[in-house]
Amino acid sequence: MGINIFIFVWFYLSYDLGDQFFYTRHLLSSGLPWARAPAAVLNFNCMLILLPVCRNLLSLIRGSFMCCSKTLRKQLDKNLTFHKLVGYMIALMTAVHTIAHLLNVEWLNNSRQGAYDELSTILSQLEDTNSTSYLNPVRITNVQIPTRFAFSSIAGLTGVIITLALILIITSSMEVIRRNYFEVFWYTHHLFIIFFAGLVFHGAGRIVRSQQRTNPLHNVSYCKDRSDDWGTLPECPIPQFAGGFPQTWMWVIGPMFLYLCERCLRFIRYMQKVTYRKIVMRPSKLEWHPFTMTSAPEEDFFSVHIRSAGDWTNKLIDIMQQLPEGAQGPKFPTGLMGVDGPFGTASEDVFDYEVSMLVGAGIGVTPFASILKSIWYKFKDSDPKLRTRKIYFYWLCRETHAFEWFADLLQVLEKEMEERGMGDFLTYKLYLTGWDQSHTTHVMVHFDKETDVITGLKQKTHYGRPIWDKEFEQVRKENPTSAVGTFLCGPEALAKVLEKKCAKFSDVDPRRTKFYFNKENF
């Protein structure tokens, strides 16, 4: 935000006070700085907008560079939030820039018709000699509709295209559309190609013109009141004007190249062979969705668990049901599915903390399945690099059958830790947030069993939601001098609660317990 404000103020003052724009300001008044300052901010933000969605670049930064600190990695995990904020700034500056130029076109047209003072009329009538003399880009003397100029010039035509593309991109990005009509969001978002193409050519018209140096020099302060003597007085040669060199392409060419490399790399990965070894549960050609792997890096395969929650996932399940185990997936151009990734996320940092709190809600448990598996493998291999000494795992679910696929993993971990004398390493609590009367009756009948009636685990399932104050207080009490990483994969409402709890239960003394909040973002 600070950089945006600096760029806006700097360019506003440059166009509002610069001597080379004195005559231009006479025609456009404050419309000149109010058009050019937002344009400069637009260039800066259009340079940034593509970088947060270069997932391979972000994974390289967060995973490969040892100098990438914990704080920086946390900021990288907020890439989509940053992408949205930059988009909002682009929308705001586009609105200001467009309104200012609509007023400018009106004022230029009126000046060309002689509707204002004598100086405005003379400036508008300067002849076009090798595209250097004239100031007013409206060259037609007969009265015309100002919007006609907007559709007949390079800057105007590309401006209309850019604005329409941006409107479609922003409106289709609203959450209600993104959640319920993802394909609309997906396809309209690819109008960014048209947006950037129009952006590169937008300044080629050079309609904002500034005074050029002449020999002898045209003294503005002396000559502005002697327009009738221009060309006759030695101090007042006819002023020369030229449009500014287009600069937008210099701002965006780098990010555009990086994003092109990103898409090429994704395409190469997409073309790789994918063999389906096991299908547990019996989409659009260009639509992609991120899913968290449930397999560990130590395994020679990767797995994902996908909840059926819409047209795309239902169609994906239909495709998978038709594939026998061991079959190769359908491929481009005739197929419908490819695999890209993996990309690093906040959960990678679990192993950087001695103590970690893992909180999963519903299908949000998937990243922690991978983490717990990886920890299990590291214990089996006696990995000396494993710093983690304590994990608290919380899983919140509304339905009992959701626990089934994950219970097996927890049982294996339970047994493994007990055999190694590390039963206290993993503390897990499963919370069932939805149940009916028949389920309650079943639990009451089997209450005396040593294992839980739902999961078969020794740890009994809790009913309702966690009392987070109690949980955080317990973790703080058991780990009085530790940095505790708190990781969530779940809804935004729960994220706000946990973030507040991390701040509340963190001690001001750096030698005492401090909680660090991390959230998976998609």
Side-chain angles (χ1 to χ4, degrees), residues 384-396:
K385 296 181 180 179
L386 181 63
R387 295 178 54 192
T388 309
R389 59 178 178 81
K390 180 67 177 179
I391 284 183
Y392 298 87
F393 174 61
Y394 305 84
W395 188 12
L396 290 66

Side-chain angles (χ1 to χ4, degrees), residues 406-417:
F406 199 63
D408 292 340
L409 173 61
L410 290 177
Q411 285 178 345
V412 171
L413 287 172
E414 235 179 12
K415 182 179 178 181
E416 183 74 19
M417 299 306 170

Side-chain angles (χ1 to χ4, degrees), residues 9-167:
V9 173
W10 176 271
F11 279 88
Y12 186 95
L13 295 177
S14 297
Y15 282 92
D16 194 47
L17 302 176
D19 291 338
Q20 70 273 33
F21 296 108
F22 178 85
Y23 289 130
T24 312
R25 286 196 302 273
H26 187 81
L27 294 183
L28 302 179
S29 185
S30 59
L32 175 65
W34 276 105
R36 298 309 302 158
V41 178
L42 274 171
N43 287 340
F44 174 68
N45 284 274
C46 288
M47 176 187 71
L48 298 177
I49 192 70
L50 290 177
L51 297 179
V53 292
C54 292
R55 292 182 175 272
N56 287 289
L57 176 63
L58 297 181
S59 294
L60 177 66
I61 294 175
R62 84 178 324 279
S64 301
F65 297 160
M66 297 303 293
C67 60
C68 188
S69 66
K70 229 179 255 186
T71 303
L72 176 58
R73 290 200 299 270
K74 288 183 68 174
Q75 298 307 313
L76 292 175
D77 294 330
K78 299 178 181 179
N79 60 314
L80 294 185
T81 301
F82 181 74
H83 178 73
K84 293 175 185 177
L85 292 175
V86 173
Y88 296 149
M89 182 60 70
I90 289 176
L92 175 61
M93 291 298 104
T94 298
V96 176
H97 180 74
T98 301
I99 293 171
H101 267 320
L102 288 175
L103 295 173
N104 289 340
V105 170
E106 180 71 25
W107 291 331
L108 289 172
N109 184 66
N110 290 342
S111 296
R112 186 63 177 168
Q113 312 312 323
Y116 300 137
D117 61 350
E118 181 182 0
L119 179 57
S120 296
T121 303
I122 291 177
L123 287 171
S124 298
Q125 292 176 350
L126 289 176
E127 296 297 329
D128 182 3
T129 304
N130 297 324
S131 298
T132 59
S133 297
Y134 76 94
L135 173 61
N136 192 335
V138 178
R139 309 307 301 158
I140 302 176
T141 55
N142 60 308
V143 178
Q144 63 171 352
I145 301 173
T147 52
R148 188 181 304 168
F149 171 78
F151 285 95
S152 60
S153 63
I154 295 177
L157 185 59
T158 55
V160 170
I161 294 173
I162 290 171
T163 304
L164 289 176
L166 186 62
I167 290 173

Side-chain angles (χ1 to χ4, degrees), residues 88 139 163 229 328 346-347 390 454-455:
Y88 296 149
R139 309 307 301 158
T163 304
D229 297 325
Q328 183 179 348
S347 296
K390 180 67 177 179
I454 299 175
T455 61

